[in-house]
Amino acid sequence: MGFGDLKTPAGLQVLNDYLADKSYIEGYVPSQADVAVFEAVSGPPPADLCHALRWYNHIKSYEKEKAR
């Protein structure tokens, strides 16, 4: 997966477009790919990037499990 620099609006737009019909970066469950992309994003995407924001909030909800 190549989204470019996920700290820029252009990179976040590519991520948003990719997630338009997907729940996760790879497959049907959260994976290490989701963790890697989540860590590359500097914070929640803006509200107009609704698919990326939905994904971000969903992956963020797993933070307690990741800490274990």
Side-chain angles (χ1 to χ4, degrees):
M1 261 13 62
F3 301 112
D5 184 355
L6 292 171
K7 294 182 182 0
T8 67
L12 288 173
Q13 183 65 56
V14 172
L15 177 64
N16 187 68
D17 293 346
Y18 178 80
L19 291 167
D21 62 351
K22 295 171 182 59
S23 294
Y24 303 103
I25 302 300
E26 293 178 352
Y28 299 100
V29 295
S31 68
Q32 290 297 352
D34 292 287
V35 173
V37 173
F38 181 84
E39 290 175 350
V41 175
S42 60
D48 64 321
L49 299 177
C50 59
H51 305 299
L53 182 59
R54 168 193 44 81
W55 169 85
Y56 179 91
N57 288 331
H58 182 65
I59 300 305
K60 185 173 174 58
S61 74
Y62 287 101
E63 276 187 329
K64 289 180 184 172
E65 289 182 32
K66 181 183 162 213
R68 287 188 219 170

